[in-house]
Amino acid sequence: MHNTTSAGWDRSAAAWVRELGEDGDFGRVHVLDRPMLQRIRGRGFATALDVGCGEGRFCRMMQSLGITTVGIDPTELLIARARALDPRGDYRIARAEDLDVAPGSFDLVVSYLSLIDIPDLATASARMASALRPGGTLLIANLTSFNTAAMPDGWTTGADGVRRFAIDRYLEERAIWVEWRGIRVENRHRPLSTYMTTLLDLGLQLRHFAEPAPTGGDPATVDRYRRAPWFHIMEWQKPLRPGDRPHR
Ligand SMILES: C[S@@+](CC[C@H](N)C(=O)[O-])C[C@H]1O[C@@H](n2cnc3c(N)ncnc32)[C@H](O)[C@@H]1O
């Protein structure tokens, strides 16, 4: 049995809400939101499960596309905030590893920058795949493994005075405490092959892969996001079984 809290998130929840502000932080507003919504809009998804929904921002965005959402997250303060911002929304306190929803009940399962926070990737991925209906879509935005391999130092200045993004011990899976603007949480570095083989072994099929570039925003931040590896988006499909009817 897992405990229900997540490393660092309970203490970091208030700072996280501040960091996101009304619209979201740089990575969300200027890099990920647009391509994530492009993968969703007009696809006929009626129901979505947002795993690690935080304070519910992406659930609210999907609802504005007419999708009925369920958001789950183990951090009670973030779920309380989600409920306050969206009193009619369905937000539940749960870890991905303990996800308890009817098998096959969602058209779309989303993990928006939450896989690196989830300790047991294999169990969480199996639960997410089970929640999808056959033909359904698992949409993931994650910090790329080339980024998490640079944690916790990231940018460092060499003896020549040049700033570089220092990747190290790439193949070594590990938990790393990271800190920024009052947030202190435990993330996980895993090589990309860990994510890929976990999802492939569940029988999911990769349909889309992107490393989105920033669009707009402060030029110095844009430069940093262009120089270093940052995010990727992956879309996986749960195969139809013989006799299943394709959805739209
Ligand atoms: C970086 S935040 C992203 C939140 C939200 N998806 C967003 O984009 O604003 C990561 C989230 O993962 C949640 N989390 C941590 N451990 C988790 C677990 N085992 N299962 C599901 N979510 C978890 C945290 O509580 C936190 O809300």
Side-chain angles (χ1 to χ4, degrees), residues 132-176:
L132 275 178
R133 66 163 169 76
T137 293
L138 171 62
L139 183 63
I140 294 169
N142 204 17
L143 265 181
T144 118
S145 303
F146 313 117
N147 183 289
T148 54
M151 287 177 170
D153 295 333
W155 292 97
T156 52
T157 306
D160 56 5
V162 176
R163 299 271 293 157
R164 291 194 180 82
F165 194 71
I167 293 172
D168 200 2
R169 298 194 288 141
Y170 177 75
L171 286 178
E172 200 179 300
E173 293 197 25
R174 56 194 184 271
I176 311 155

Side-chain angles (χ1 to χ4, degrees), residues 46-81:
T47 53
L49 172 69
D50 186 353
V51 175
C53 66
E55 50 72 84
R57 198 186 70 101
F58 203 63
C59 282
R60 297 191 294 277
M61 292 176 101
M62 290 193 285
Q63 285 170 28
S64 72
L65 300 178
I67 299 172
T68 301
T69 63
V70 174
I72 69 121
D73 198 288
T75 307
E76 292 186 21
L77 285 168
L78 293 178
I79 289 292
R81 175 82 178 155

Side-chain angles (χ1 to χ4, degrees), residues 6 9 16 28 52-54 73-75 78 95-97 112-113 117:
S6 50
W9 276 102
W16 177 252
R28 287 170 176 73
C53 66
D73 198 288
T75 307
L78 293 178
R95 291 165 48 107
E97 297 92 327
Y112 195 134
L113 296 185
D117 292 275

Side-chain angles (χ1 to χ4, degrees), residues 224-244:
R224 276 194 295 125
Y225 273 68
R226 284 187 172 280
R227 282 185 61 192
W230 223 279
F231 300 122
H232 62 225
I233 292 176
M234 298 194 282
E235 184 181 315
W236 296 81
Q237 190 177 24
K238 182 167 174 173
L240 290 168
R241 296 163 306 200
D244 281 333

